[in-house]
Every structure is written in C-alpha cells, then in structure tokens.
Amino acid sequence: MGVADLADYPWDAVAPYAARARSHPDGIVDLSIGSPVDATPSVVADALRAATDAHAYPQTVGTPSLRAAIAQWYDRRRGVPALTPENVLPTVGSKELVAFLPLLLGLGRGDVVAHPRAAYPTYEVGARLVGATPVAADDPADWPEGTRLVWVNSPGNPDGRVLDVDALRAAAGRARALGAVLASDECYAELGWDAPWDAEPVPSALDPRVTEGDLTGILSVYSLSKQSNLAGYRAAFLAGDPSVVARLLTARKHLGLMLPLPVQAAMVAALHDDAHVAAQKELYRRRRAVLRPAVEAAGFRVDASEAGLYLWATEGRDAWQSLGRLADLGILAGPGHFYGTHYPQHIRLSLTATDERVAAAAGRLRGASDLSI
C-alpha cells in the first residue's frame, strides 16, 4: 500500500453535520477538533520574534539549548532524570512523527504495528503507508508475533484513558519480548483531571519505575500544541533509547525534517516556563466543569476521560445519530467511527472552545430532553 491507496480523509464525512450545526440561530459550537483557541503565551511569542534572523539552515538534531531544555523538562515535569542530548530529538509537530515512524524504522510488508483499540487514526495510517499490518489491541498479550512497533497513548485520544506505571511496565516488557519499539504518545500528560491524576503526574513510559533504568526500545513522544497553544508552531519532540534516536536522526537528516530555528527558540521558552501551562490547564478545567455535567444531563454517559482534552461519551446509539442530534443543537462532535471499529456508539467532544461557546453548548444540552434526528 502507498499514499495513493490511503482512504479518503475521514473528517470530510462530518461536513453535512457541520452545515446543520452552523444553521443554529446562535451559531455553531465546534467541539469536533482539538485545536487550541486560546492565545499563544507571550513568553513564547516574544522568543519567536527575537529569533527571526534565521538566515542559516537549522540542524535536524536541534540546537543545544533546545535539546537541553527537553531533557530538563522530562526531569522536572515527567520524573525522568538523566536524559542527555543523545536521548532527545525535536520533530515538526507530532503528527508527522506518528505517520512516518514506521517508515523511519524501516518497517514494511509482513511487519505488525500494534495500537490502542480507541486510537488516533494516524497510527494506522503510518502502518498502511509502508505496507505493514495495523492491529488494534489494548492487552499486550494480544500483540502478535511479528509486531515491530507498538503505540500506546496515555492520556488517550479520544478516550482520555491513563495507563499507570504497572500498565506501562507490562507494555514495555511485552514489546521487548517481541523485539518491537514501544512508542508512547504522551501529548496530553499535563492535563490530568480525575483522581489520582489530579494530584500526581501522569507517568511516562520513560519513568524509571517503568524502565528500571533501561531505555532500550522505548520512546516517548510529546507535543507543545496542547499545553502551550502552539499547534500552529508545529513544535514537538521525542525522547528515549539513544540508539533508536540516532537511527531516526539519520533518516530525518536525509529527508530534510528540520524544525525552523525561530520555532526552536520558542520551544526553549515554553519548556522553561511552567506558569503558562498551569494557567492553560485551569482554563480547560473550568470548561470541563461546565461541559461534562451538561453532557450527562442530556443523556450521555462519559467513559474514561480522566485526563486530556476530550469527553468520550455515548448515549447508546450509533455515533452518527448522536452527531445528528447534537448538530440540531448547533453542536459539532467527532464520531467514534473515526477512532477504530470498536466504539461505534461513542462521540468525542473537545474542550478547545472559548468559555462563551462552551457555556452556549452547555445551555443547549441542558435544554435538550428528547430531541431526535
């Protein structure tokens, strides 16, 4: 399979529901995409502006200050000490890394890429791009022989599920037994809501309690899009096994996957400043506190969702029907069908809307008792 064989982009199927939602007298409340709506922090934007004299080509490996900032951030925020520049690598956003990782690792036909049952669709796209076989399985025991790459996602997109240390340790052990790379997508890790993640950090796959000091075959993937409102900057990075990082660096050099120098400077500022992350988290906490009870009052059950940017909800019928019901309320959601075949009755609602739009959605939901499509 190649690029020409990829399925149509799934979000195109949502267009009719978006049109219905836009016809609402008070306008659409778009909760379908997790794209930040709040301002980029000034400390980050100022750093970007100060670095605009970027006349030379950037290095794929990243500036020394950026690599040091990434390592220090893992120590300070994720409980992962002793990383060196050889353990880290900036990437042009996280989606390109997710899509290209099977290619960069040299996977192909006959190899298996395992990923969660409720999954960000790019895990599967990356596997199919190189002719590998995607397998959706949450239990490490279900990852088959021939698996060469395992994606875990904690907190999960779309479901907000968190993997604790024991679950990550089991995943790492099974991946090593299979000879697979374990790639842990942790992009929402700063956004923990329900106990115990409201009081303690969401663990990383690089946590010493998981690795026992051995990073062999383990990668952590992270993005600043969510915690720092930098989606438009394409600012992300990976960390982990230095031998795997070196392989990826070589491939990325050949492909010209370089992060612009002004963006690298902005990332350094973002990684050193925890205050803006805490402030952004409080915005999302308030929006979640408004939206979740309204969703439940409208007859939905919210599953998992203990961390991250989404509510993973069901009213016990096909997600397209739920999408239609919400569209008639002027609310746009994402259907569970987009995240695999296992949750056809779930929808995903994002917290990335303004306070005013979230309040509008909550009001409409509370007033909806039995509206059908």
Side-chain angles (χ1 to χ4, degrees):
M1 182 174 184
V3 173
D5 301 309
L6 292 176
D8 291 339
Y9 195 60
W11 284 98
D12 294 343
V14 174
Y17 298 90
R20 283 167 66 176
R22 289 191 195 97
S23 69
H24 190 278
D26 187 37
I28 188 173
V29 180
D30 190 347
L31 305 180
S32 64
I33 303 291
S35 184
V37 298
D38 300 306
T40 298
S42 59
V43 66
V44 178
D46 290 346
L48 182 83
R49 283 189 285 267
T52 53
D53 181 13
H55 50 274
Y57 285 112
Q59 288 189 303
T60 305
V61 73
T63 62
S65 59
L66 176 56
R67 293 154 75 199
I70 294 170
Q72 292 162 11
W73 178 85
Y74 268 101
D75 189 0
R76 188 178 73 253
R77 301 299 302 175
R78 307 302 312 282
V80 181
L83 294 182
T84 70
E86 286 68 38
N87 294 113
V88 304
L89 187 63
T91 65
V92 189
S94 58
K95 185 171 184 175
E96 63 91 343
L97 175 66
V98 173
F100 288 139
L101 189 57
L103 174 67
L104 300 182
L105 291 174
L107 274 60
R109 195 168 304 279
D111 296 325
V112 172
V113 176
H115 60 76
R117 283 161 51 92
Y120 183 52
T122 310
Y123 305 139
E124 179 177 343
V125 168
R128 295 197 181 281
L129 188 66
V130 298
T133 302
V135 171
D138 292 329
D139 187 342
D142 293 333
W143 300 339
E145 294 296 328
T147 299
R148 294 293 173 262
L149 173 62
V150 173
W151 282 105
V152 294
N153 183 201
S154 176
N157 173 14
D159 60 359
R161 184 175 63 124
V162 174
L163 301 179
D164 62 17
V165 168
D166 289 341
L168 289 170
R169 189 185 300 119
R174 175 62 175 162
R176 283 175 174 159
L178 292 166
V181 170
L182 177 73
S184 180
D185 181 347
E186 302 172 356
C187 294
Y188 301 89
E190 289 276 12
L191 302 174
W193 310 121
D194 296 340
W197 314 119
D198 57 341
E200 63 181 78
V202 171
S204 170
L206 302 182
D207 191 303
R209 295 171 295 173
V210 175
T211 67
E212 297 180 344
D214 181 6
L215 300 181
T216 302
I218 302 177
L219 296 175
S220 164
V221 176
Y222 204 81
S223 167
L224 299 183
S225 295
K226 315 305 182 185
Q227 70 177 49
S228 299
N229 297 329
L230 297 188
Y233 283 49
R234 311 312 301 135
F237 49 86
L238 62 87
D241 182 341
S243 65
V244 177
V245 171
R247 289 170 58 195
L248 298 177
L249 174 59
T250 297
R252 294 175 71 83
K253 285 179 178 178
H254 283 294
L255 294 171
L257 294 173
M258 300 174 288
L259 198 62
L261 277 170
V263 175
Q264 295 192 44
M267 289 176 68
V268 172
L271 288 164
H272 284 312
D273 182 73
D274 296 336
H276 78 272
V277 180
Q280 186 61 46
K281 182 176 181 178
E282 285 309 304
L283 283 177
Y284 286 136
R285 187 192 303 278
R286 292 203 305 269
R287 291 167 187 164
R288 184 177 183 270
V290 171
L291 186 61
R292 178 168 184 161
V295 169
E296 292 172 332
F300 289 86
R301 184 187 75 237
V302 175
D303 292 333
S305 306
E306 61 255 36
L309 275 181
Y310 309 106
L311 298 177
W312 186 233
T314 179
E315 57 176 343
R317 57 176 172 170
D318 187 85
W320 291 113
Q321 292 181 295
S322 295
L323 235 67
R325 178 189 176 201
L326 292 174
D328 288 336
L329 295 172
I331 300 168
L332 189 64
H337 300 284
F338 286 4
Y339 305 99
T341 61
H342 301 282
Y343 297 94
Q345 295 186 336
H346 277 72
I347 60 166
R348 193 192 76 168
L349 296 156
S350 174
L351 304 178
T352 54
T354 65
D355 292 351
E356 184 274 331
R357 288 289 84 186
V358 168
R364 297 174 196 180
L365 287 164
R366 290 192 199 95
S369 56
D370 190 30
L371 183 64
S372 60
I373 62 174

Coordinates of all heavy atoms in Angstrom, one line a residue, residues 47-129:
A47 N 9.9 35.1 22.3 CA 11.1 34.3 22.0 C 11.1 34.1 20.5 O 12.2 34.1 19.8 CB 11.1 33.0 22.7
L48 N 10.0 33.8 19.9 CA 9.9 33.6 18.4 C 10.4 34.8 17.7 O 11.2 34.8 16.7 CB 8.5 33.1 18.0 CG 8.3 32.8 16.5 CD1 8.8 31.4 16.2 CD2 6.9 33.0 16.1
R49 N 9.8 36.0 18.1 CA 10.1 37.2 17.4 C 11.6 37.6 17.5 O 12.2 38.1 16.6 CB 9.3 38.4 18.0 CG 7.8 38.4 17.5 CD 7.1 39.6 17.9 NE 6.8 39.6 19.3 CZ 5.6 39.2 19.8 NH1 4.7 38.7 19.0 NH2 5.4 39.2 21.1
A50 N 12.2 37.3 18.7 CA 13.6 37.6 18.9 C 14.5 36.7 18.1 O 15.7 37.1 17.9 CB 13.9 37.5 20.4
A51 N 14.0 35.6 17.5 CA 14.9 34.7 16.8 C 14.6 34.7 15.3 O 15.0 33.8 14.6 CB 14.6 33.3 17.3
T52 N 14.0 35.8 14.8 CA 13.6 35.8 13.4 C 14.8 35.9 12.4 O 14.6 35.7 11.2 CB 12.6 36.9 13.1 OG1 13.1 38.1 13.6 CG2 11.3 36.6 13.8
D53 N 16.0 36.3 12.9 CA 17.1 36.3 12.0 C 17.7 34.9 11.9 O 18.6 34.5 12.6 CB 18.2 37.3 12.6 CG 19.4 37.3 11.6 OD1 19.4 36.8 10.5 OD2 20.5 37.8 12.1
A54 N 17.0 34.1 11.0 CA 17.3 32.7 10.9 C 17.8 32.4 9.5 O 17.3 31.7 8.7 CB 16.1 31.9 11.2
H55 N 19.0 33.1 9.2 CA 19.5 33.0 7.8 C 20.1 31.7 7.4 O 20.2 31.3 6.3 CB 20.5 34.1 7.6 CG 21.5 34.2 8.7 ND1 21.4 34.9 9.8 CD2 22.8 33.6 8.8 CE1 22.4 34.7 10.6 NE2 23.3 34.0 10.0
A56 N 20.5 30.9 8.4 CA 21.2 29.7 8.2 C 20.2 28.5 8.3 O 19.2 28.6 9.0 CB 22.4 29.5 9.1
Y57 N 20.6 27.4 7.6 CA 19.8 26.2 7.8 C 19.8 25.7 9.2 O 20.9 25.7 9.8 CB 20.2 25.1 6.8 CG 19.9 25.3 5.4 CD1 20.9 25.5 4.4 CD2 18.6 25.2 4.9 CE1 20.6 25.7 3.1 CE2 18.3 25.4 3.6 CZ 19.3 25.6 2.7 OH 18.9 25.8 1.4
P58 N 18.7 25.3 9.8 CA 18.7 24.7 11.1 C 19.3 23.3 11.0 O 19.2 22.6 10.0 CB 17.3 24.7 11.5 CG 16.5 24.6 10.2 CD 17.3 25.4 9.2
Q59 N 19.8 22.8 12.1 CA 20.2 21.4 12.2 C 19.0 20.5 12.6 O 18.2 20.9 13.4 CB 21.3 21.2 13.2 CG 22.6 21.8 12.8 CD 23.7 21.4 13.8 OE1 23.6 21.6 15.0 NE2 24.7 20.7 13.3
T60 N 18.9 19.3 12.0 CA 17.8 18.4 12.3 C 17.8 18.0 13.7 O 16.8 17.8 14.3 CB 17.9 17.2 11.4 OG1 18.0 17.6 10.0 CG2 16.8 16.2 11.6
V61 N 19.0 17.9 14.3 CA 19.1 17.4 15.7 C 18.6 18.5 16.7 O 18.4 18.1 17.8 CB 20.6 17.1 16.0 CG1 21.5 18.3 16.1 CG2 20.7 16.2 17.2
G62 N 18.5 19.7 16.2 CA 18.1 20.8 17.2 C 19.2 21.5 17.8 O 20.4 21.0 17.9
T63 N 19.0 22.7 18.3 CA 20.0 23.5 18.9 C 20.4 22.8 20.3 O 19.6 22.2 20.9 CB 19.6 24.9 19.2 OG1 18.4 24.9 20.1 CG2 19.2 25.6 17.9
P64 N 21.6 23.1 20.7 CA 22.0 22.5 22.1 C 21.0 23.0 23.2 O 20.7 22.3 24.1 CB 23.4 23.1 22.3 CG 24.0 23.2 20.9 CD 22.8 23.7 20.0
S65 N 20.6 24.3 23.1 CA 19.7 24.8 24.1 C 18.4 24.1 24.1 O 17.8 23.9 25.2 CB 19.6 26.3 24.0 OG 19.0 26.6 22.7
L66 N 17.9 23.8 22.9 CA 16.6 23.1 22.8 C 16.7 21.6 23.4 O 15.9 21.2 24.2 CB 16.1 23.0 21.4 CG 14.8 22.2 21.2 CD1 13.7 22.7 22.1 CD2 14.3 22.3 19.7
R67 N 17.8 21.0 23.0 CA 17.9 19.6 23.5 C 18.1 19.6 25.0 O 17.5 18.7 25.7 CB 19.1 18.9 22.8 CG 18.8 18.7 21.3 CD 20.1 18.7 20.5 NE 20.8 17.4 20.6 CZ 22.1 17.3 20.3 NH1 22.8 18.3 19.8 NH2 22.7 16.1 20.4
A68 N 18.8 20.5 25.5 CA 19.0 20.6 27.0 C 17.6 20.9 27.6 O 17.3 20.3 28.7 CB 20.0 21.7 27.3
A69 N 16.9 21.8 27.0 CA 15.6 22.2 27.6 C 14.6 21.0 27.6 O 13.9 20.8 28.6 CB 14.9 23.3 26.8
I70 N 14.6 20.2 26.6 CA 13.8 19.0 26.5 C 14.2 18.0 27.6 O 13.3 17.5 28.4 CB 13.9 18.3 25.2 CG1 13.3 19.2 24.1 CG2 13.2 16.9 25.2 CD1 13.6 18.7 22.7
A71 N 15.5 17.8 27.8 CA 15.9 16.8 28.8 C 15.6 17.4 30.2 O 15.1 16.6 31.1 CB 17.4 16.6 28.7
Q72 N 15.8 18.7 30.4 CA 15.4 19.2 31.7 C 14.0 19.2 32.0 O 13.5 18.9 33.2 CB 15.9 20.7 31.8 CG 17.4 20.8 31.8 CD 17.9 22.2 31.4 OE1 17.1 23.2 31.3 NE2 19.2 22.4 31.1
W73 N 13.1 19.4 31.0 CA 11.7 19.3 31.1 C 11.3 17.9 31.5 O 10.4 17.7 32.4 CB 11.0 19.7 29.8 CG 9.5 19.6 29.9 CD1 8.7 20.6 30.4 CD2 8.7 18.6 29.4 NE1 7.4 20.2 30.2 CE2 7.3 18.9 29.7 CE3 9.0 17.3 28.9 CZ2 6.3 18.1 29.3 CZ3 7.9 16.5 28.5 CH2 6.6 16.9 28.8
Y74 N 11.8 16.9 30.9 CA 11.5 15.5 31.3 C 11.8 15.2 32.8 O 11.1 14.5 33.5 CB 12.2 14.5 30.4 CG 11.4 14.1 29.2 CD1 11.7 14.6 28.0 CD2 10.4 13.1 29.3 CE1 10.9 14.2 26.8 CE2 9.6 12.8 28.2 CZ 9.9 13.3 27.0 OH 9.2 12.9 25.9
D75 N 12.9 15.8 33.2 CA 13.3 15.6 34.6 C 12.3 16.3 35.5 O 11.8 15.7 36.5 CB 14.7 16.1 34.8 CG 15.3 15.8 36.2 OD1 14.6 15.1 37.0 OD2 16.5 16.2 36.4
R76 N 12.0 17.6 35.2 CA 11.2 18.4 36.1 C 9.8 18.1 36.1 O 9.1 18.0 37.1 CB 11.4 19.9 35.7 CG 10.8 20.9 36.6 CD 11.1 22.3 36.2 NE 10.3 22.7 35.0 CZ 10.8 22.9 33.8 NH1 12.1 22.6 33.5 NH2 10.0 23.2 32.8
R77 N 9.2 17.8 34.9 CA 7.8 17.6 34.8 C 7.3 16.2 34.6 O 6.2 15.9 34.9 CB 7.3 18.4 33.5 CG 7.6 19.9 33.6 CD 6.9 20.6 34.8 NE 5.4 20.4 34.8 CZ 4.7 20.8 35.7 NH1 5.2 21.4 36.8 NH2 3.3 20.6 35.7
R78 N 8.2 15.3 34.2 CA 7.8 13.9 33.9 C 8.5 12.9 34.8 O 8.2 11.7 34.7 CB 8.0 13.5 32.5 CG 7.4 14.5 31.4 CD 5.9 14.7 31.5 NE 5.2 13.4 31.7 CZ 4.9 12.6 30.7 NH1 5.3 12.9 29.5 NH2 4.1 11.5 30.9
G79 N 9.4 13.3 35.7 CA 10.0 12.3 36.6 C 11.0 11.4 35.9 O 11.2 10.3 36.3
V80 N 11.6 11.9 34.8 CA 12.6 11.1 34.0 C 13.9 11.8 34.1 O 14.2 12.8 33.4 CB 12.1 11.0 32.5 CG1 13.1 10.1 31.8 CG2 10.7 10.4 32.5
P81 N 14.8 11.4 35.0 CA 16.1 12.0 35.2 C 17.1 11.5 34.2 O 17.0 10.5 33.5 CB 16.5 11.7 36.6 CG 15.9 10.3 36.8 CD 14.6 10.3 36.0
A82 N 18.2 12.3 34.1 CA 19.5 11.8 33.5 C 19.4 11.6 32.0 O 20.2 10.9 31.4 CB 20.0 10.5 34.1
L83 N 18.4 12.3 31.3 CA 18.5 12.2 29.9 C 19.6 13.2 29.4 O 19.8 14.2 30.0 CB 17.1 12.7 29.3 CG 15.9 11.7 29.5 CD1 14.7 12.3 28.8 CD2 16.2 10.3 29.1
T84 N 20.2 12.8 28.3 CA 21.2 13.6 27.6 C 20.8 14.1 26.3 O 19.7 13.6 25.8 CB 22.5 12.8 27.5 OG1 22.3 11.8 26.5 CG2 22.9 12.1 28.8
P85 N 21.5 15.0 25.6 CA 21.1 15.4 24.2 C 21.0 14.2 23.3 O 20.2 14.2 22.3 CB 22.2 16.3 23.8 CG 22.7 16.9 25.1 CD 22.6 15.8 26.1
E86 N 21.7 13.1 23.5 CA 21.6 11.9 22.7 C 20.3 11.2 22.8 O 19.9 10.3 22.0 CB 22.8 11.0 22.9 CG 24.1 11.4 22.4 CD 24.6 12.7 23.1 OE1 24.5 12.8 24.3 OE2 25.2 13.5 22.4
N87 N 19.5 11.5 23.9 CA 18.2 10.9 24.2 C 17.1 11.6 23.5 O 15.9 11.1 23.6 CB 18.0 10.8 25.7 CG 18.9 9.9 26.4 OD1 19.7 10.3 27.2 ND2 18.8 8.6 26.1
V88 N 17.3 12.8 23.0 CA 16.1 13.6 22.6 C 16.3 14.1 21.1 O 17.4 14.2 20.6 CB 16.0 14.8 23.5 CG1 15.8 14.4 25.0 CG2 17.1 15.8 23.4
L89 N 15.1 14.5 20.5 CA 15.1 14.9 19.2 C 13.9 15.7 18.9 O 12.8 15.2 19.2 CB 15.2 13.7 18.2 CG 15.3 14.0 16.7 CD1 16.6 14.6 16.4 CD2 15.2 12.6 16.0
P90 N 14.0 17.0 18.4 CA 12.8 17.7 18.1 C 12.2 17.2 16.8 O 12.8 16.7 15.9 CB 13.3 19.2 17.9 CG 14.7 19.0 17.5 CD 15.2 17.8 18.2
T91 N 10.8 17.4 16.6 CA 10.1 17.0 15.4 C 9.2 18.1 15.0 O 8.8 19.0 15.7 CB 9.3 15.7 15.7 OG1 8.3 16.0 16.6 CG2 10.2 14.6 16.2
V92 N 8.8 18.0 13.7 CA 8.0 19.0 13.1 C 6.5 18.7 13.4 O 5.8 18.3 12.6 CB 8.2 19.1 11.6 CG1 7.5 20.3 11.0 CG2 9.7 19.1 11.2
G93 N 6.1 19.0 14.6 CA 4.9 18.5 15.1 C 4.9 17.1 15.5 O 5.9 16.4 15.1
S94 N 3.9 16.5 16.1 CA 3.9 15.1 16.5 C 3.2 14.2 15.4 O 3.5 13.1 15.3 CB 3.3 14.9 17.8 OG 2.0 15.4 17.9
K95 N 2.3 14.8 14.7 CA 1.6 14.0 13.7 C 2.5 13.5 12.6 O 2.4 12.3 12.2 CB 0.4 14.8 13.0 CG -0.4 14.0 12.1 CD -1.7 14.7 11.7 CE -2.6 13.8 10.8 NZ -3.9 14.4 10.4
E96 N 3.4 14.3 12.1 CA 4.4 13.7 11.1 C 5.2 12.6 11.7 O 5.5 11.6 11.0 CB 5.2 14.8 10.5 CG 6.2 15.6 11.5 CD 7.6 14.9 11.6 OE1 7.8 13.8 11.2 OE2 8.5 15.6 12.1
L97 N 5.6 12.7 13.0 CA 6.3 11.6 13.5 C 5.5 10.3 13.6 O 6.0 9.2 13.3 CB 6.9 12.0 14.9 CG 7.6 10.9 15.7 CD1 8.9 10.5 14.9 CD2 7.9 11.3 17.1
V98 N 4.3 10.5 14.1 CA 3.4 9.3 14.2 C 3.2 8.7 12.8 O 3.3 7.4 12.7 CB 2.0 9.7 14.8 CG1 1.0 8.6 14.7 CG2 2.2 10.2 16.2
A99 N 3.0 9.5 11.8 CA 2.8 8.9 10.5 C 4.0 8.3 9.9 O 3.9 7.3 9.2 CB 2.3 10.0 9.5
F100 N 5.2 8.9 10.1 CA 6.4 8.5 9.5 C 7.2 7.5 10.3 O 8.2 6.9 9.8 CB 7.3 9.7 9.1 CG 6.8 10.5 8.0 CD1 6.8 11.9 8.1 CD2 6.2 9.9 6.9 CE1 6.4 12.7 7.0 CE2 5.8 10.7 5.8 CZ 5.8 12.1 5.9
L101 N 6.9 7.3 11.6 CA 7.7 6.4 12.4 C 7.9 5.0 11.8 O 9.0 4.5 11.8 CB 7.2 6.3 13.8 CG 8.2 5.6 14.8 CD1 9.5 6.3 14.9 CD2 7.6 5.6 16.2
P102 N 6.9 4.3 11.3 CA 7.1 3.0 10.7 C 8.1 3.1 9.5 O 9.0 2.2 9.4 CB 5.7 2.6 10.2 CG 4.8 3.3 11.1 CD 5.4 4.6 11.4
L103 N 8.0 4.1 8.7 CA 8.9 4.3 7.6 C 10.3 4.6 8.1 O 11.3 3.9 7.6 CB 8.5 5.5 6.8 CG 9.4 6.0 5.6 CD1 9.4 4.9 4.5 CD2 8.9 7.3 5.0
L104 N 10.5 5.4 9.1 CA 11.8 5.8 9.6 C 12.5 4.6 10.3 O 13.7 4.5 10.3 CB 11.7 7.0 10.5 CG 11.2 8.3 10.0 CD1 11.2 9.4 11.0 CD2 11.9 8.7 8.7
L105 N 11.7 3.7 10.8 CA 12.2 2.5 11.5 C 12.5 1.3 10.5 O 12.9 0.3 10.9 CB 11.3 2.0 12.6 CG 11.1 2.9 13.8 CD1 10.1 2.4 14.7 CD2 12.5 3.0 14.5
G106 N 12.1 1.5 9.2 CA 12.3 0.5 8.2 C 11.3 -0.6 8.2 O 11.6 -1.7 7.7
L107 N 10.1 -0.3 8.7 CA 9.1 -1.4 8.7 C 8.5 -1.5 7.3 O 8.6 -0.6 6.5 CB 8.0 -1.0 9.7 CG 8.2 -1.5 11.1 CD1 9.4 -0.9 11.7 CD2 7.0 -1.2 12.0
G108 N 7.9 -2.7 7.0 CA 7.3 -2.9 5.7 C 6.3 -4.1 5.7 O 5.8 -4.5 6.8
R109 N 6.1 -4.6 4.6 CA 5.1 -5.7 4.5 C 5.6 -6.9 5.4 O 6.8 -7.3 5.4 CB 5.1 -6.2 3.0 CG 3.9 -7.1 2.7 CD 3.7 -7.2 1.2 NE 3.6 -5.9 0.5 CZ 2.4 -5.2 0.5 NH1 1.3 -5.7 1.1 NH2 2.4 -4.0 -0.1
G110 N 4.6 -7.5 6.1 CA 4.9 -8.6 7.0 C 5.1 -8.2 8.4 O 5.0 -9.0 9.3
D111 N 5.4 -6.9 8.6 CA 5.5 -6.3 10.0 C 4.2 -5.9 10.5 O 3.3 -5.5 9.8 CB 6.5 -5.2 10.0 CG 7.9 -5.5 9.6 OD1 8.3 -6.7 9.9 OD2 8.6 -4.7 9.0
V112 N 4.0 -5.9 11.8 CA 2.8 -5.5 12.5 C 3.1 -4.3 13.3 O 4.1 -4.2 14.0 CB 2.3 -6.7 13.4 CG1 1.1 -6.2 14.3 CG2 1.9 -7.9 12.6
V113 N 2.1 -3.3 13.3 CA 2.1 -2.2 14.1 C 0.9 -2.3 15.1 O -0.2 -2.2 14.6 CB 2.1 -0.9 13.3 CG1 2.0 0.4 14.3 CG2 3.3 -0.7 12.4
A114 N 1.1 -2.4 16.3 CA 0.0 -2.5 17.3 C -0.3 -1.1 17.8 O 0.6 -0.3 18.0 CB 0.4 -3.4 18.5
H115 N -1.6 -0.9 18.1 CA -2.0 0.4 18.6 C -3.3 0.2 19.4 O -3.9 -0.9 19.4 CB -2.3 1.4 17.5 CG -3.3 1.0 16.5 ND1 -4.7 1.1 16.7 CD2 -3.2 0.5 15.2 CE1 -5.4 0.6 15.7 NE2 -4.5 0.3 14.7
P116 N -3.7 1.2 20.2 CA -4.9 1.0 21.0 C -6.2 0.8 20.2 O -6.3 1.1 19.0 CB -5.0 2.4 21.8 CG -3.6 2.9 21.8 CD -3.1 2.5 20.4
R117 N -7.2 0.2 20.9 CA -8.5 -0.1 20.2 C -9.2 1.3 19.9 O -9.8 1.4 18.9 CB -9.3 -0.9 21.1 CG -8.9 -2.4 21.1 CD -9.5 -3.2 22.3 NE -10.9 -3.0 22.5 CZ -11.9 -3.8 22.1 NH1 -11.5 -4.9 21.3 NH2 -13.1 -3.6 22.3
A118 N -9.2 2.2 20.9 CA -9.7 3.5 20.6 C -8.5 4.4 20.3 O -7.7 4.7 21.2 CB -10.4 4.1 21.8
A119 N -8.3 4.7 19.0 CA -7.0 5.2 18.6 C -7.0 6.4 17.7 O -7.9 6.5 16.8 CB -6.2 4.1 17.9
Y120 N -6.1 7.3 17.9 CA -5.8 8.3 16.9 C -5.5 7.7 15.6 O -4.7 6.8 15.5 CB -4.5 9.0 17.4 CG -4.0 10.2 16.7 CD1 -4.8 11.3 16.3 CD2 -2.6 10.3 16.3 CE1 -4.3 12.4 15.7 CE2 -2.1 11.4 15.6 CZ -2.9 12.4 15.3 OH -2.4 13.5 14.6
P121 N -6.2 8.0 14.5 CA -6.2 7.3 13.3 C -4.8 7.3 12.6 O -4.6 6.4 11.8 CB -7.3 7.9 12.4 CG -7.5 9.2 13.0 CD -7.2 9.1 14.5
T122 N -3.9 8.2 12.9 CA -2.6 8.2 12.2 C -1.8 7.1 12.6 O -0.8 6.7 11.8 CB -2.0 9.6 12.5 OG1 -2.9 10.6 12.3 CG2 -0.8 9.8 11.6
Y123 N -2.0 6.4 13.7 CA -1.2 5.2 14.0 C -1.4 4.1 12.9 O -0.5 3.5 12.4 CB -1.7 4.5 15.3 CG -1.6 5.4 16.5 CD1 -2.6 5.4 17.5 CD2 -0.5 6.3 16.7 CE1 -2.6 6.2 18.6 CE2 -0.5 7.1 17.9 CZ -1.5 7.1 18.8 OH -1.4 7.9 19.9
E124 N -2.7 4.0 12.5 CA -3.0 3.0 11.4 C -2.5 3.5 10.1 O -2.0 2.7 9.2 CB -4.5 2.8 11.3 CG -4.9 1.8 10.2 CD -6.4 1.5 10.2 OE1 -7.1 1.7 11.2 OE2 -6.9 1.0 9.2
V125 N -2.7 4.8 9.8 CA -2.2 5.4 8.6 C -0.7 5.1 8.4 O -0.3 4.8 7.3 CB -2.5 6.9 8.5 CG1 -1.8 7.6 7.3 CG2 -4.0 7.1 8.4
G126 N 0.1 5.4 9.4 CA 1.5 5.2 9.3 C 1.9 3.7 9.0 O 2.8 3.5 8.2
A127 N 1.1 2.8 9.5 CA 1.4 1.4 9.2 C 1.0 1.1 7.8 O 1.8 0.4 7.1 CB 0.6 0.5 10.2
R128 N -0.1 1.5 7.4 CA -0.6 1.2 6.0 C 0.3 1.9 4.9 O 0.5 1.4 3.8 CB -2.0 1.6 5.8 CG -3.0 0.7 6.7 CD -4.4 0.8 6.3 NE -5.3 0.0 7.1 CZ -5.4 -1.3 7.1 NH1 -4.7 -2.0 6.2 NH2 -6.2 -1.9 7.9
L129 N 0.9 3.0 5.3 CA 1.7 3.8 4.4 C 2.9 2.9 3.9 O 3.3 3.0 2.8 CB 2.2 5.0 5.0 CG 3.0 6.0 4.2 CD1 2.0 6.7 3.1 CD2 3.5 7.1 5.1

